[in-house]
């Protein structure tokens, strides 16, 4: 069972191996603060653009930096044992928090990719739950979430087939350990932030189209982006900053009701 963290976590001391993202996290009261920093200062143009788009939706989940050997009152979610970062929600109390392993861990979560990965959970988990409700089946959000569930199933089926055939790549073997395809929320967050995952999706054909193109179409709907941003989103997610350099307009995400 997950340990319920205390209402407030102790401030983490600055590590000797600190980095700009780490310093930004330590100065952030909420995940919105960290996402805003990446939108303005991030090194990866794709992650900067994603940060700007999800900023209005990430909410006020607190940031908890976890240091080995230093107690966090109330403990941390046990799932952090096998993760670099974790988005936590308590449906009884309404508390939301982002737990990040600091630089003292060899496998730490102090990176733009991990921060945006967890921020995507903060921004979209509720949307996915709403879209999965029967009452929303015929809404744009409901259809987009349904598309994600369908796509997730096809990705898992393809990876299982590769496992049986002994043709999995090393990255695909690690996905099982990381549970990256375990549910649609993880497929969304990995697909939006991890270049290797994006490359894998491009190599999976689903009904004549790549899983990547289907993923982009579904995410565009979940985030409320108009069809004209389909190609731009794909471009950004493959770490191309041409859309920004060309001065093309980038729409802020529309909150789906």
């Amino acid at each position: 069972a997950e340990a319920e963290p205390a209402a407030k976590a102790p401030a983490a001391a600055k590590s000797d191996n600190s980095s700009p993202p780490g310093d930004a996290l330590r100065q952030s009261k909420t995940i919105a603060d960290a996402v805003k920093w990446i939108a303005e200062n991030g090194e990866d143009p794709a992650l900067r653009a994603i940060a700007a788009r999800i900023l209005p939706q990430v909410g006020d989940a607190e940031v908890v930096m976890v240091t080995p050997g230093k107690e966090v009152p109330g403990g941390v979610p046990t799932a952090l044992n096998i993760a670099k970062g974790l988005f936590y929600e308590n449906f009884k109390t309404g508390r939301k928090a982002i737990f990040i392993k600091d630089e003292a861990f060899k496998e730490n979560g102090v990176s733009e990719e991990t921060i945006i990965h967890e921020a995507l959970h903060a921004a979209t988990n509720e949307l996915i739950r709403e879209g999965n409700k029967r009452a929303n089946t015929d809404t744009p959000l409901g259809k987009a979430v349904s598309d994600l569930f369908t796509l997730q199933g096809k990705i898992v089926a393809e990876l299982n087939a590769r496992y049986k055939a002994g043709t999995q790549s090393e990255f695909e073997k690690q996905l099982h350990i990381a549970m990256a395809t375990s549910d649609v929320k993880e497929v969304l967050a990995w697909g939006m932030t991890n270049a290797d995952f994006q490359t894998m999706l491009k190599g999976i054909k689903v009904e004549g189209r790549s899983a990547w193109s289907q993923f982009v179409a579904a995410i565009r709907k979940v985030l409320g982006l108009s069809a004209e941003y389909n190609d731009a989103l794909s471009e950004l997610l493959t770490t191309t900053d041409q859309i920004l350099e060309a001065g093309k307009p980038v729409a802020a995400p529309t909150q789906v009701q």
Side-chain angles (χ1 to χ4, degrees), residues 69-196:
K70 291 190 177 181
E71 182 179 354
V72 175
V76 299
T78 55
L80 192 64
N81 290 333
I82 58 172
K84 298 178 181 180
L86 182 74
F87 173 60
Y88 172 89
E89 351 179 42
N90 185 307
F91 296 106
K92 292 183 179 179
T93 65
R95 186 196 177 203
K96 297 180 180 181
I98 303 287
F99 290 83
I100 297 288
K101 288 179 176 175
D102 75 6
E103 298 95 334
F105 287 91
K106 182 177 180 180
E107 295 291 331
N108 65 74
V110 182
S111 70
E112 293 176 22
E113 179 181 327
T114 299
I115 296 168
I116 294 300
H117 179 113
E118 301 308 333
L120 279 162
H121 286 313
T124 63
N125 277 12
E126 180 62 26
L127 288 174
I128 291 173
R129 284 193 293 269
E130 287 298 313
N132 200 33
K133 291 180 178 178
R134 181 172 297 181
N136 294 324
T137 298
D138 295 325
T139 66
L141 177 61
K143 292 176 181 177
V145 170
S146 177
D147 288 345
L148 273 178
F149 272 98
T150 299
L151 179 58
Q152 179 220 358
K154 292 177 179 177
I155 293 170
V156 170
E158 174 63 21
L159 293 181
N160 285 340
R162 293 181 184 183
Y163 171 76
K164 292 179 181 178
T167 59
Q168 279 184 311
S169 68
E170 287 302 314
F171 174 73
E172 289 164 359
K173 293 175 183 177
Q174 292 300 313
L175 288 181
H176 176 73
I177 299 173
M179 298 185 292
T181 59
S182 60
D183 62 42
V184 294
K185 295 188 292 292
E186 290 302 331
V187 168
L188 183 153
W190 276 78
M192 290 282 279
T193 59
N194 186 272
D196 290 328

Side-chain angles (χ1 to χ4, degrees), residues 9 21 35 59 85 88 94 214 229 241 250 255:
V35 170
Y88 172 89
Q214 295 197 20
Y229 292 101
D241 64 355
V250 176
Q255 179 70 48

Side-chain angles (χ1 to χ4, degrees), residues 126 142 199 210 247:
E126 180 62 26
T199 298
S210 72

